[in-house]
Amino acid sequence: LGVQRLVEGKHVLNVGCGPTVKAEHAEHDASTAASYTGIELSLPFLESVRKENPHAPFFFAQASINAIPFPDKSFDTTVVSFVIHHVPGDPARVIEELVRVTRRHLVIYDHLRSENALVSLIQSAYWRTFDGGCNYMTRDQWLRALGSLRQVRETRHGPFGQVLRMILEIPD
């Protein structure tokens, strides 16, 4: 199950869309969606993505992942790219909010903290220096945060397998 298939002809929410919807890692063409809504906290990023995509099917709003301003089950697919590790507090609460607005699939790109103590130490030093997040989770922590969501596919990339992509099905 590829990400493009979950976007094409669907109503899509991109949480933390950033300054562009053309990120290579995202594995989809946003212009193929029936509607493509992005939310972003950063006003400069929001202005950039709006300028890049001024017409339908695109809509962008300034909003937080903690309080997504849309009714329950508004989107077929929700994509969240490298945002969850930047949100303080309980990641399960963030996942609950994403599930609330999603009808069918949740696609998460984020970091995976290694279970190996030395690798984890190296990751922490790197992330502290270059990323500034606060919630880098191990595999077990991710599974707890995801709760009962059914994982359809997972891939890992990077020298330590630290770049994670999960496609999850939302229960009815």
Side-chain angles (χ1 to χ4, degrees):
L1 187 63
V3 177
Q4 179 61 31
R5 211 172 124 211
L6 304 177
V7 169
E8 194 168 332
K10 306 285 194 272
H11 298 282
V12 178
L13 175 64
N14 184 331
V15 177
C17 61
T20 182
V21 294
K22 295 179 181 159
E24 284 183 34
H25 76 272
E27 305 170 312
H28 68 272
D29 178 356
S31 69
T32 65
S35 68
Y36 197 92
T37 301
I39 63 169
E40 175 58 55
L41 266 181
S42 164
L43 191 54
F45 281 3
L46 193 60
E47 290 169 349
S48 173
V49 75
R50 281 179 175 157
K51 185 177 178 182
E52 177 187 86
N53 304 284
H55 305 293
F58 298 103
F59 171 78
F60 300 97
Q62 190 171 26
S64 167
I65 193 171
N66 289 313
I68 299 171
F70 299 104
D72 295 359
K73 306 299 179 197
S74 293
F75 302 94
D76 299 311
T77 302
T78 296
V79 178
V80 56
S81 297
F82 301 101
V83 174
I84 295 172
H85 70 273
H86 285 287
V87 182
D90 183 3
R93 170 65 191 102
V94 172
I95 301 296
E96 286 173 11
E97 181 65 357
L98 295 167
V99 168
R100 181 187 68 76
V101 298
T102 309
R103 281 190 289 270
R104 198 72 197 126
H105 289 98
L106 174 59
V107 180
I108 298 174
Y109 298 91
D110 217 300
H111 298 292
L112 180 65
R113 178 180 291 285
S114 177
E115 301 282 348
N116 177 291
L118 178 59
V119 173
S120 180
L121 185 65
I122 293 167
Q123 288 176 317
S124 292
Y126 178 85
W127 289 329
R128 190 173 39 255
T129 304
F130 297 105
D131 191 57
C134 59
N135 233 338
Y136 300 96
M137 294 184 280
T138 63
R139 179 85 176 112
D140 287 343
Q141 290 168 323
W142 271 110
L143 290 175
R144 279 194 299 278
L146 295 171
S148 64
L149 292 178
R150 188 172 89 75
Q151 191 167 318
V152 176
R153 177 167 292 169
E154 176 182 309
T155 57
R156 298 180 194 181
H157 303 282
F160 303 115
Q162 78 280 6
V163 178
L164 179 65
R165 180 196 72 182
M166 294 179 284
I167 298 175
L168 304 145
E169 259 185 7
I170 306 300
D172 292 331

